[in-house]
Amino acid sequence: MHTAIAFVGAGAIAEALIRGICQTGVASAAQLTVTNKNTPARRLHLADTYGVRACDSIAEAVQAAEVILICVKPKDVGAALTETARYARADALYVSVAAGCSITWMTDVIQSARSHDAAPGAVRLIRTMPNTSCAVLESASAYALGDACTEADGALVERLLGAVGTCHRLEESQLDAVTGLSGTGPAYVYYLVEALTDAGAAAGLDPDVAYALVTQTLIGAAAMIRQTGDGPATLRERVTSPGGTTMAGLAVLRDYEFAEAIGAAVRAATARSAELGQLWTSVTEGAEVDGPAGTKRPSLTT
Ligand SMILES: NC(=O)c1ccc[n+]([C@@H]2O[C@H](COP(=O)([O-])OP(=O)(O)OC[C@H]3O[C@@H](n4cnc5c(N)ncnc54)[C@H](OP(=O)(O)O)[C@@H]3O)[C@@H](O)[C@H]2O)c1
C-alpha cells in the first residue's frame, strides 16, 4: 500500500506493528511516522532500527497521514486523540489499539477537538484488540468498524493487523469477549506452562529440563493444530489409548473440572472488560474531553 501511516505512541505495540508492517512489506518504512510524549530516545530507537521518521510532535507526525494508529495506554487516549484531531487531515482513518475505549467515546473526543476550520466530515474509526503475541508477529487480533468506515477501511486494517498475526472482523459488542479470550489468553497459557513445569520438577526432572520439554510440547501441539487441520478433540482422541498414560492424566483433569475452570476464567475476564469499559465511559461523561488529566480513570490493561 502507498498510504502514509502515523503512529501516535512509540511503545511495545507500536514497535510490533512497525516491525510487522516493514518485514511483510505491507508498507515501507518511508511511509511511516512515529511520535510519543516523554521519551525521545524511544522514537529515535524506532527510527534507527526500522528507518521510520521520528517526529517531535503529534502535529508533525499526523499532518500528512491518511491512517493514524493510536497506540497509547487507555488512560492517555483522550489527550493523545485530542491533540491528534487538531492537526490530522479531516479524511484521516483512525485505528485504535486501546483496550476498553469505545468507538462512540473516541469519535466524540475527535469531533470535539477538530479545528473549526476543518471540514466537518464523519469520523472513520476502527477499534482493534490485538494480543501480546504481536511482539513476535503471532497476534490473535479482532477489530470492529465504526459506522462511517468503508469496506476499503476494513481491508486496510486487515492488512495492518495481518502483518502481526491473524485477525477477525466482529461487532464492537463482541470485543469484551475477545479481551476475555485471546486478549487474556496468553496469560492462561503461561500459567499452564508454569504448572506443567512445576509438575515435571515435582516428578523428579531438573526444572530447566522440565521447562524446555513443556515449551517444546506447547509449540509442537500448536503446530499440530495449525498444520494438520485436525481439530483439537480429534488430535486428543488420537493420542488417548484405552488404559494408557494420556487417559489416566486426562481423567484427573476432568475430575478437577479443568474445562469448567477455563470457562469460568474467560467469563470473569470478559465481564471485567465490560465493567472497565463502562467505568471508563461513566468517568469521562460530562468531563472536558480535552482536559483528561483531571478525570480519574481506571487502569485498563488486558
Ligand atoms: N502491548 C500489547 O501486547 C497490547 C495488546 C493489546 C492491546 N494493547 C493496547 O495498546 C496500547 C499501547 O500499549 P503498549 O503496551 O504499547 O504501551 P506502552 O509500551 O506503554 O507505550 C505507550 C506509548 O504511548 C505514548 N504516549 C502516552 N501518552 C501520549 C500522548 N499524549 N501523545 C503521544 N504519545 C503518548 C508513550 O510515550 P512516552 O513513553 O514518551 O510517554 C509510549 O510511547 C494500550 O492501549 C493497550 O491497551 C497492547
Side-chain angles (χ1 to χ4, degrees), residues 34-67:
V34 61
T35 190
N36 61 350
K37 193 177 175 194
N38 301 309
T39 33
R42 177 69 195 161
R43 56 180 182 266
L44 292 175
H45 157 75
L46 297 180
D48 287 346
T49 308
Y50 305 100
V52 301
R53 185 158 66 87
C55 301
D56 294 345
S57 67
I58 286 183
E60 185 190 346
V62 306
Q63 60 191 358
E66 296 155 278
V67 177

Side-chain angles (χ1 to χ4, degrees), residues 93 126 143 145 149-159 169:
L93 171 67
I126 302 175
Y143 69 93
L145 296 182
C149 289
T150 63
E151 276 306 310
D153 295 335
L156 187 142
V157 82
E158 293 218 358
R159 292 194 70 193
R169 184 194 295 192

Side-chain angles (χ1 to χ4, degrees), residues 9-13 36-39 58 71-74 76 97-99 130 132:
I13 194 139
N36 61 350
K37 193 177 175 194
N38 301 309
T39 33
I58 286 183
C71 297
V72 304
K73 294 284 186 198
D76 296 319
V97 302
T132 185

Side-chain angles (χ1 to χ4, degrees), residues 18 56 221 224 243 262:
I18 288 169
D56 294 345
M224 286 291 285
I262 295 289

